[in-house]
Structure formats: structure tokens, C-alpha cells
């Protein structure tokens, strides 16, 4: 999630004693569209509803859990060796007061707006490669949105909002690094 200043939302997990940072993430329910799941998970973890998808990374990114992490997993998580993730660039057009980590199933204890390029060094080590690829792909999109003044916009007519079922978007333009802006999102 990127704000008007081009900074991304990062948070510290309640179960992380090392105080590393990460961006919100979550599961996709059976039959759920991945983009709709991203917006749902964002709202569940941060209470944010003033958000819209403005870009995505074409391919799914994955990482393996290190042995120490796998040993701590329980229940259905024990059958997984890692995670495969679909990444979306979500514009936050609300005010910081909307962000509330005191949710029903609290996942985060602290949050901050950070430069995207700093996150690969701030996350747990086994996620660093994925975060580097996210920064490589979304960094140019964020710069483009800033340059065009798009991050200063409030909700645009026809934009895909949190409850607007985020599916069926077509690419506005392909970017050289495998990320794209979505039509009707960044350019209203």
C-alpha cells in the first residue's frame, strides 16, 4: 500500500521479537479472486477501506520457509514448504487516522510509512529476495504515479475500491520489469 508521498505501509508482526518489517499479506479463500483477497486482507489487518489497486506484478513470487520456521509451524501449516504470493500495488487515499491495528485477529503491533527500497533489508531474511523483486517491479510504478500526480488523487470514478470486487482489470501499459498499471486505476 502506497501513500500520497510514495511511501509504502510496513508493519511489525505481534509474534516477531526481532521487530522486522513486512507489508500486509494473507490467504486467498477458495474461489476468491486474488485481487479481491488482497483488498480484503488489507482491511482485516489494518482496517483500511480507502484503497484501490493501481498495479500488479504479472507472475506469482514465492519463498521457502527455513527449517527453523518450519519446525515452529503447527496445524495445516505443517504441510507447506513456503508461500507463493500475488503482489498488488494498492493506493491509499485516506488519512493515517483510518489505519487501526487493533483488529479482531491482531497481526501487527506497530506500523510506519517507509521507502519501498528499504524494505528488503528490513524483512525477515527468507523474504528478502521476494521484497527485492517487489521493490524492483513496483519502484518504477510508484515513481511514475508520483511524477503524474496520481498518488495525490482521491477516489476516482470507476476505480476499483475495497468492496468493489477487484477482478477483470485490463493492462493500461506493460512495464519493462513485468509490472503493470491497471486501466481505470492510476489514470481514473
Amino acid at each position: 500500500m502506497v501513500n500520497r508521498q510514495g511511501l509504502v505501509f510496513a508493519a511489525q508482526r505481534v509474534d516477531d521479537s526481532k521487530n522486522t518489517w513486512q507489508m500486509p499479506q494473507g490467504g486467498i479463500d477458495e474461489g476468491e479472486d486474488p485481487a479481491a483477497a488482497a483488498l480484503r486482507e488489507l482491511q482485516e489487518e489494518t482496517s483500511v477501506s480507502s484503497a484501490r489497486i493501481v498495479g500488479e506484478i504479472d507472475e506469482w513470487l514465492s519463498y521457502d520457509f527455513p527449517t527453523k520456521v518450519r519446525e515452529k509451524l503447527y496445524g495445516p501449516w505443517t504441510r507447506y514448504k513456503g508461500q507463493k504470493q500475488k503482489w498488488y500495488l494498492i493506493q491509499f487515499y485516506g488519512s493515517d487516522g483510518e489505519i487501526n491495528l487493533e483488529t479482531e485477529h491482531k497481526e501487527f503491533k506497530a506500523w510506519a510509512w517507509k521507502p519501498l527500497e528499504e524494505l528488503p533489508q528490513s524483512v525477515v531474511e527468507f523474504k528478502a529476495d521476494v521484497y527485492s523483486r517487489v521493490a524492483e517491479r513496483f519502484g518504477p510504478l510508484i515513481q511514475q504515479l508520483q511524477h503524474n500526480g496520481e498518488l495525490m488523487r482521491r477516489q476516482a470514478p470507476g476505480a476499483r475500491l475495497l468492496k468493489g470486487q477487484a477482478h477483470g482489470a485490463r493492462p493500461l501499459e506493460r512495464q519493462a520489469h513485468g509490472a503493470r498499471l491497471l486501466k481505470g486505476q492510476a489514470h481514473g
Side-chain angles (χ1 to χ4, degrees), residues 38-182:
L39 292 169
R40 176 186 52 76
E41 286 287 342
L42 179 66
Q43 185 174 38
E44 288 175 4
E45 295 175 2
T46 67
S47 305
V48 165
S49 61
S50 300
R52 62 184 175 176
I53 293 176
V54 294
E56 73 177 294
I57 295 176
D58 292 332
E59 74 274 5
W60 291 69
L61 305 180
S62 62
Y63 60 82
D64 290 338
F65 296 127
T67 303
K68 285 183 178 181
V69 171
R70 289 191 76 198
E71 289 171 350
K72 294 178 184 177
L73 297 176
Y74 57 92
W77 282 99
T78 58
R79 67 177 186 242
Y80 298 110
K81 74 173 210 161
Q83 286 194 324
K84 183 177 175 182
Q85 301 172 325
K86 181 69 175 165
W87 282 85
Y88 294 95
L89 182 60
I90 298 173
Q91 178 193 4
F92 176 60
Y93 56 84
S95 67
D96 286 0
E98 181 178 342
I99 299 168
N100 180 6
L101 304 181
E102 298 300 321
T103 59
E104 183 178 348
H105 302 287
K106 184 176 179 171
E107 293 194 37
F108 300 122
K109 58 186 174 187
W111 69 272
W113 294 110
K114 295 186 164 289
L116 178 58
E117 63 273 8
E118 288 181 10
L119 285 183
Q121 296 81 34
S122 302
V123 299
V124 293
E125 187 178 337
F126 63 92
K127 293 182 181 181
D129 182 55
V130 166
Y131 274 70
S132 291
R133 290 186 282 165
V134 168
E136 174 186 301
R137 306 280 176 79
F138 282 158
L141 288 179
I142 291 171
Q143 289 176 350
Q144 180 180 351
L145 291 167
Q146 278 187 293
H147 178 75
N148 294 340
E150 299 292 337
L151 293 179
M152 299 306 289
R153 282 189 174 190
R154 295 272 182 183
Q155 174 183 349
R160 194 179 340 170
L161 302 178
L162 187 64
K163 295 188 184 316
Q165 299 312 310
H167 54 67
R170 292 167 295 186
L172 174 64
E173 57 185 279
R174 288 275 165 199
Q175 302 296 316
H177 297 290
R180 62 185 175 175
L181 292 173
L182 299 182

